[in-house]
Amino acid sequence: MDIKIVNKSAIEHECNALIVNIFEGVKIPGGATGAVDNAIHGIISRLISEEEITGKLMETTLIYTDGMIRPDRVLVMGLGKSEDFGAREIRMVSGAAVRYLQNKGMKKVASIVHGAGIGGLDPTEAAQAMVEGALIGAYQSDFYKTPSSKKAIETFDIVEFDVDKIPSIESGMNLGKIMGEAVNNARNLGNEPSSVVTPEFLAEYTKVIANYAGLTYEEIDSWKMLELGMNAIISVGKGSANEPKLLSLKYTVGENRPTLALVGKAVTFDSGGISLKPSAGMHGMKFDMAGGAAVIEAMRVIGELKPNINVIGLVPCVENMPDGAAYKPGDIIRCMNGKTVEITTTDAEGRLILADSISYAVEQGADYIVDIATLTGACVVSLGNDITGIMGNDRKFIEVMKKTAEITGERVWELPLPADYMHLLKSSYADIRNAGERPAGAIQGGLFIQEFVNEVPWIHMDIGGTADFSSGSGPADGSKYMAMGATGMGVRTLSTLAFELGKIIK
């Protein structure tokens, strides 16, 4: 989808459909929507008075213009209540509008900028959110279906009459393109079958990303892992014909700047290993590499936009399979940092590969660490499918993460890490066990990972519920603005976090 800015009146722009907007409770439309309403003889005002248009969030009303203005149709989008409106709502509205028109077969779409000047948003922020939403909304996850059955918008024009606003809108548009495309690339990785996305595939893909974004790439294979003592990663990958890999991407601005490490779990398929998962839902275990995909694409954004902080992206890639060589419940593994782990279930494998990867990040001199992983179903039970659980060991760092998530619209909620809950992971045979009983499952995952951060400021993101969206899960009305499948959760937050830290840390 080609996205550009057009400096002209919305009613003079030729397109299949023009997107305008209205807040809930507004009786007489103003601004660009008001100008359109006047040009089509008050149709929008009449529909408002007849309560066919209410302005509720993501409400869609399509009006045929019958030649009264240059656009063939006008799509009036509800923005919801003005007091609840922000960048997240812009993304949702933009995505819903694009999906609606795309399903109608529209090829040429235009839109006014939603929400500039509302809720403290400037034109740059509003344009960025709108473009991100448009790209995320236009994304189609059914790329293995027959191409002839697909509909796609070809052009998305941002129409702005005020020439003074064009530079700000253009800046936001360019940022939105980079972010939106990175999110969709992460979704592509997640939606591919695991027969395609293997550890080797991710390694080759990451090399391409490194070259494109000017990053330093390193690949640690199983022999090098053995030298480094990464027995946890090796153990998880032992049951697969596809060898494990630890991928490293580095962005460097200077030795005098701190280093942020982003660590993303990439289990390209999780059968559960010897502790085999139930067959129902196992097909969704191709999404268990979503954390790794988020880190790879966040590093692409970081390489392109260049924050003022050094960043290391680490992606442990494994396939968790149950053949005769697979690790087993009852095994004891010595991790890279020397801690021993009793395996109670081979289906708590993500925290094991994160343990060695985080130990490596510490060894590499990380000053801050964030790990992102589809770690637990328990987090889904706690927070559902639209809020990511976060845990950490540093109050200031957590507050920066919360602020960042507000900026990006990727919702997070902090869960506690009470020290006395460590009894849940007590082992009679090793320093720690990889999983306890059912209570506090998400917290157990965080407590386990914390054992490997060596007191470096650290945040754990559990995207078990937010990495993919399917029927019956995800946000209310989620299918209005997002295709089924991988969500790309974390790309925007991780990359934006690097910029926030780069601004804060002197």
Side-chain angles (χ1 to χ4, degrees), residues 247-463:
L247 313 179
S248 171
L249 290 167
K250 287 185 179 180
Y251 164 80
T252 305
V253 290
E255 293 182 2
N256 63 332
R257 298 300 294 154
T259 297
L260 167 67
L262 306 176
V263 185
K265 171 189 172 185
V267 178
T268 58
F269 188 78
D270 182 18
S271 69
I274 297 296
S275 306
L276 195 67
K277 291 179 180 290
S279 60
M282 196 191 287
H283 60 280
M285 289 302 102
K286 68 177 186 176
F287 297 120
D288 212 20
M289 41 62 69
V295 167
I296 293 167
E297 289 301 326
M299 291 301 297
R300 177 210 292 263
V301 173
I302 287 164
E304 286 191 75
L305 299 182
K306 300 180 173 24
N308 189 27
I309 189 172
N310 300 319
V311 189
I312 303 173
L314 295 172
V315 183
C317 307
V318 299
E319 193 176 56
N320 187 23
M321 298 292 281
D323 84 348
Y327 79 127
K328 305 174 291 298
D331 285 357
I332 294 177
I333 297 168
R334 186 175 298 278
C335 298
M336 181 181 176
N337 73 344
K339 286 186 184 292
T340 56
V341 179
E342 178 193 1
I343 305 303
T344 57
T345 170
T346 62
D347 195 26
E349 82 300 328
R351 63 200 66 184
L352 294 172
I353 66 172
L354 290 173
D356 278 347
S357 302
I358 287 172
S359 294
Y360 184 72
V362 172
E363 186 181 85
Q364 291 289 299
D367 299 292
Y368 301 88
I369 299 171
V370 179
D371 77 80
I372 181 168
T374 46
L375 206 74
T376 68
C379 201
V380 188
V381 174
S382 299
L383 300 176
N385 295 92
D386 195 36
I387 300 175
T388 292
I390 64 169
M391 294 158 251
N393 63 357
D394 185 276
R395 175 49 44 198
K396 289 183 179 178
F397 192 25
I398 290 170
E399 292 305 319
V400 174
M401 169 62 80
K402 288 180 178 179
K403 177 186 174 185
T404 301
E406 286 181 12
I407 293 169
T408 64
E410 294 184 322
R411 295 197 287 182
V412 303
W413 193 263
E414 184 183 358
L415 297 175
L417 283 177
D420 57 313
Y421 272 39
M422 277 301 295
H423 77 275
L424 297 169
L425 297 177
K426 185 178 180 181
S427 170
S428 300
Y429 307 102
D431 296 326
I432 191 174
R433 55 180 179 168
N434 72 328
E437 304 303 323
R438 287 179 62 85
I443 292 171
Q444 286 185 42
L447 286 169
F448 180 92
I449 296 167
Q450 186 174 225
E451 291 294 298
F452 300 87
V453 301
N454 199 30
E455 299 185 352
V456 173
W458 153 81
I459 292 170
H460 164 57
M461 301 179 70
D462 190 332
I463 59 170

Side-chain angles (χ1 to χ4, degrees), residues 18 150 171 251 345 465 493:
L18 169 70
K150 291 190 174 185
S171 176
Y251 164 80
T345 170
T493 296

Side-chain angles (χ1 to χ4, degrees), residues 193-202 222 225 233-245 266 268-269 317-321 323:
S194 62
S195 56
V196 173
V197 177
T198 61
E200 180 61 32
F201 178 96
L202 282 180
S222 54
M225 288 181 197
I233 300 177
I234 292 170
S235 294
V236 174
K238 278 167 55 178
S240 173
N242 295 299
E243 290 194 7
K245 296 180 182 293
T268 58
F269 188 78
C317 307
V318 299
E319 193 176 56
N320 187 23
M321 298 292 281
D323 84 348

Side-chain angles (χ1 to χ4, degrees), residues 3-7 156-160 166 169-171 173:
I3 300 176
K4 65 180 184 297
I5 300 171
V6 178
N7 178 213
F156 182 86
D157 295 336
I158 302 171
V159 184
E160 177 53 58
I166 296 295
I169 292 172
E170 185 173 26
S171 176
M173 178 189 72

